[in-house]
Amino acid sequence: MDRQRPRTTSDEIDLYIRTYYSLLRSSGEVWVRAFEEAHAFSDSSLHPGARTGVPDVAAFAYSAARLPSCMPQVQKIVLGQSHETFEANGFDVSAWQRVQTRGRRRPLRFDGAGTLCAFISSTSDIDDLVPIVTTYQIVWNQMHGLLGNAELGRRLREDAAFTAEAVDHAELARVLDLDPDGVRTLIAALDTGWFAALQTIARNPCDLSMRVLSGSYSQYQRSVQRWWSGIEPSLVRERKPRRPPIYFVSSNTHSLLNLVGGYAREHREAILEFARRRNPEDLARHFARALDGGDEAEVNNLSYYLLRAFLHEDPARLGEVQRFEAEAGITSIDVPGKIDVNAQIFDLAQIRPERLDPRLRVPDLHLLARSDAVILNIDYPLGMAAYHHLSRAGQGSNEIRGVYVMGKAATLNGRVGDVMISSVVQDEHSRNTYLFRNAFVAADVQPYIRIGTVLDNQKALTVRGAFLQNREYMSVFYREGYTVLEMEAGPYLSAVYELCNPQRHPNDEIVHLSNSVPFDVGVLHYASDTPYSRRQSLLSKSLSYFGVESTSACATAIVRRIFAAEIARLRAEEEECT
């Protein structure tokens, strides 16, 4: 179909993408410094200080949170798709140390001697990692240069008696041209080993190399097949239908479990005692106030949020949780096929109505006992990996009865904590504009949210990476009415198209899904950032407890929609029989 697709007036972002993909085609190592010029001139909204001498510690913090704490010891980063690929190239990653990041779920292995291997599940991992690593190196070297001629830098390099307690934060701010908040951001970015990392920054410049081991589209498919092979044994039944109908949900590993499983509500007193004793994030007084005021929804949200810390205090509790959830037909599958996209299966016929969050109690819940369907909830993948995972789930099931996506997004017209509901998605991977009938409207979410606003009839833009947009890029789309920036909706809709049509998804077209999709499609985003006006949260802090309300509201709307749809289907079957 002919149409005028929104286009930016400059190609700095496209040039940056072409630069690193062309360089990484090399069979050898590529120095990250080769990306720096294209990165700097892309004027990324998340790294506006790339061309200045002032360290952009907000951008550094964002990058450091998505890289492991061993980064000060890393010299080489190798990207590959599987253990077999790494081992064929001489990297025995199975014997290496597993390392993690605070802000990204990605399997990583460190050899302790300077080489970091990262498993990639789609091209989005490359679009994500390259700008993150480049930002990290640029800001590191800016700080290294400023510390070079300063007395503080000399003490960090040479004075063995110099300790973290002796660091004058005001002097550090002056040397690095930061304000007090900037110093706090830098220290938090360097994590618990911040002083040793600061010493390394003062002593050595950062000169990383990257290499992408020969990969292919079929390797991505093989990777997701391994993921599905870890799920299938828990999904396939002995009774008929052996492959149950699926309500597919992409959210996180806790929201649906908390609402449906009921462990946190059942163990509320123990969690409250933990809150009083440990008082994480000063939430004990909020918990007590909500209990005193009889605010059931707030008490539940606090219980859900504190549950993770409560379980971490005693690892033995995790087994207790899984046994408790299994009684209600819930199976959790961690790292299926060694792919870091966890999954959960909810057998609707075994759900225990008395354990449900009160917000989920829809009429005729008892009918679910006759359901043959399951909810398959997966921990939302990054970017194009979403396409591969939904495609494989569709191939492995007899019937998809609904696809529901819940995830973070940046908003160009709302506030952090708002919920956005889009019916148009511009996908920068396929260049398609997807038009679809979103299963949700504002009234489905608004009753469960107090602080934020629910905005429906929005238009979303699926970007290739967090760093791969600049103010000019965003302003063009903003003028076209695209106010939601996220990374998964477009790939999911490409997979939805292929679940309903006999050919691959098109490219650079308007794609009407509204009349061709025989099942529910629902997409909900909660705002984690407001990049058009200021880099408020994505770079500076996590949503923390503030984000619980919006995530809980979105998850409540999704589960209620699934319950209502399945009950309506069962009721119709009952009427046919009579």
Side-chain angles (χ1 to χ4, degrees), residues 83 87 91-98 109-112:
H83 282 79
E87 289 164 6
F91 301 99
D92 187 16
V93 292
S94 59
W96 292 11
Q97 177 189 359
R98 294 171 181 263
R109 303 290 185 271
F110 181 50
D111 70 348

Side-chain angles (χ1 to χ4, degrees), residues 12 18 34 58 73 98 105 137 157 176 181 203 208 246 279 290 347 363 380 391 427 450 455 495 532 537 569:
E12 288 86 357
R18 287 197 302 270
Q73 289 81 52
R98 294 171 181 263
R105 290 179 294 101
Q137 176 164 301
R157 290 190 301 272
L176 297 182
D181 284 341
R203 289 171 183 152
L208 297 166
I246 288 174
N279 196 22
D347 189 332
Y380 57 88
S391 294
D427 177 29
R450 303 175 188 174
L455 307 169
Y532 193 71
S537 295
R569 191 188 65 80

Side-chain angles (χ1 to χ4, degrees), residues 227 248-252 341-343 376-381 389 492:
W227 171 79
F248 179 92
V249 181
S250 172
S251 60
N252 51 42
V341 178
N342 296 341
L376 173 62
N377 179 55
I378 74 169
D379 205 353
Y380 57 88
H389 284 78
Y492 271 130

